[in-house]
Amino acid sequence: MFKIESFDIKLETKSLGRNFIYSEDIASTNSYLLEDASQLKHGTTILSENQTEGKGRMNRPWFSNKGQNITFSILLTKNLDKINPNHISLAASLAVSSAIENLYQLKTDLKWPNDVLINNKKVCGILLESSSKGNEIEKIVIGIGVNVNQTKFIGDFKIQPTSIKFELKREIVREKLLSEILNLFEEYLHELKNNSKKILDEWRDKCRMIGERIQLEINDKKKFGTFYDLDANGFLILKTGDKLEKITTADITV
Ligand code: BTN
């Protein structure tokens, strides 16, 4: 059982998580915030113990054992014209990675576009979705799934999953982790408005794959090259021979 008071006492944000919705069962926390028409406040966060239709990137499902992990979404409605959505999802992965390192002294690594890894295994996935009115983005929803206390993962995975408990061999207090992620994410979002370059540089520092040979999967086609850099928009720059190519959507498979 998630104790809202224990989460709330550690929360130091102005807006993220201040309106907090707790649910036992839901189709998807992302879909809830995207489809809700009741003008929820900027920063509203919903956590569900279970998702029956949890969504991953590239239309994949996201599975998470009931009550063991944290699957949550955050609604952003303010300053959306001032921030690049790709930067928001990079900042979210940095917030999760820093929270895990601060609280548990585990070394994390970032995998483009926004996975968080421990020992080359995936501990967190992030899905950013948005809705628009006319030409303007009306809301952005950042959905985050962190594997916390689940230690058995059954199925076929593109990248082997892990959890904080699996790596640390002890039970983790989910409430403290969620508040730390939101505290850090709010700071990163603030920084993005003033100095997005700093966030991109921090992301580069934590991504060990930059400079390495990688294999990409784009619509079931494979592509090889060197991960040359992250560009100013958060896209991956792939180097093959003398050619540089901008990759906007793909999975790094090796
Ligand atoms: C991925 O790595 O494929 C992204 C996974 C994102 C999962 C989270 S769990 C909370 C939120 N609600 C969803 O339906 N998906 C995101």
Side-chain angles (χ1 to χ4, degrees):
M1 176 74 187
F2 189 88
K3 296 194 198 80
I4 297 178
E5 315 77 64
S6 314
F7 153 72
D8 206 44
I9 211 158
K10 298 269 180 204
L11 196 65
E12 292 162 3
T13 57
K14 270 206 182 116
S15 48
L16 303 196
R18 288 294 161 196
N19 184 29
F20 185 73
I21 306 170
Y22 173 79
S23 145
E24 284 285 342
D25 264 297
I26 206 161
S28 149
T29 54
N30 264 31
S31 304
Y32 178 85
L33 292 181
L34 271 178
E35 288 155 21
D36 182 273
S38 64
Q39 303 280 319
L40 288 167
K41 274 200 216 138
H42 172 80
T44 294
T45 299
I46 173 166
L47 173 131
S48 187
E49 296 290 10
N50 190 43
Q51 297 188 111
T52 50
E53 291 165 39
K55 299 186 280 185
R57 288 179 60 244
M58 316 252 191
N59 292 321
R60 288 192 284 257
W62 181 261
F63 298 112
S64 174
N65 282 2
K66 185 170 186 156
Q68 296 189 328
N69 302 314
I70 51 173
T71 47
F72 63 102
S73 301
I74 306 155
L75 175 71
L76 302 181
T77 57
K78 283 190 186 159
N79 297 315
L80 300 184
D81 50 335
K82 298 195 181 78
I83 316 184
N84 176 334
N86 292 341
H87 291 175
I88 296 179
S89 83
L90 295 175
S93 63
L94 271 174
V96 174
S97 141
S98 304
I100 294 175
E101 297 200 348
N102 293 348
L103 293 176
Y104 316 113
Q105 289 73 50
L106 283 168
K107 172 105 183 70
T108 62
D109 186 14
L110 300 176
K111 176 169 170 284
W112 187 83
N114 49 24
D115 290 345
V116 182
L117 312 182
I118 303 177
N119 291 326
N120 296 318
K121 292 168 286 178
K122 178 161 166 169
V123 70
C124 167
I126 295 170
L127 176 68
L128 184 144
E129 297 183 282
S130 60
S131 70
S132 302
K133 230 190 202 148
N135 284 338
E136 275 180 22
I137 298 185
E138 183 188 29
K139 46 171 127 165
I140 284 187
V141 172
I142 304 108
I144 305 182
V146 186
N147 298 329
V148 183
N149 286 316
Q150 181 173 340
T151 49
K152 288 202 176 77
F153 299 89
I154 297 157
D156 264 348
F157 299 97
K158 289 227 170 254
I159 164 160
Q160 181 60 37
T162 190
S163 69
I164 303 174
K165 180 177 177 181
F166 184 86
E167 299 298 326
L168 220 55
K169 312 286 180 244
R170 69 167 164 88
E171 197 76 11
I172 300 301
V173 180
R174 295 182 300 154
E175 294 80 352
K176 199 167 150 191
L177 175 62
L178 180 62
S179 51
E180 181 76 359
I181 293 172
L182 295 180
N183 292 343
L184 291 166
F185 188 34
E186 191 168 280
E187 281 177 26
Y188 280 118
L189 285 176
H190 183 72
E191 188 75 49
L192 267 184
K193 275 187 275 161
N194 308 317
N195 189 358
S196 59
K197 186 178 174 304
K198 190 168 164 224
I199 303 295
L200 293 177
D201 283 344
E202 201 174 317
W203 196 94
R204 285 184 183 97
D205 281 350
K206 281 198 160 178
C207 174
R208 276 188 284 146
M209 286 179 184
I210 296 184
E212 306 260 306
R213 294 275 306 160
I214 54 170
Q215 176 182 297
L216 293 173
E217 209 172 285
I218 308 170
N219 301 329
D220 286 334
K221 286 206 182 103
K222 293 202 189 325
K223 212 172 195 150
F224 297 88
T226 302
F227 189 161
Y228 184 72
D229 199 5
L230 190 70
D231 79 358
N233 286 314
F235 296 129
L236 184 155
I237 304 295
L238 188 75
K239 186 166 194 260
T240 16
D242 290 340
K243 204 178 99 207
L244 294 180
E245 185 185 352
K246 181 173 80 180
I247 308 289
T248 57
T249 326
D251 276 317
I252 299 182
T253 48
V254 175

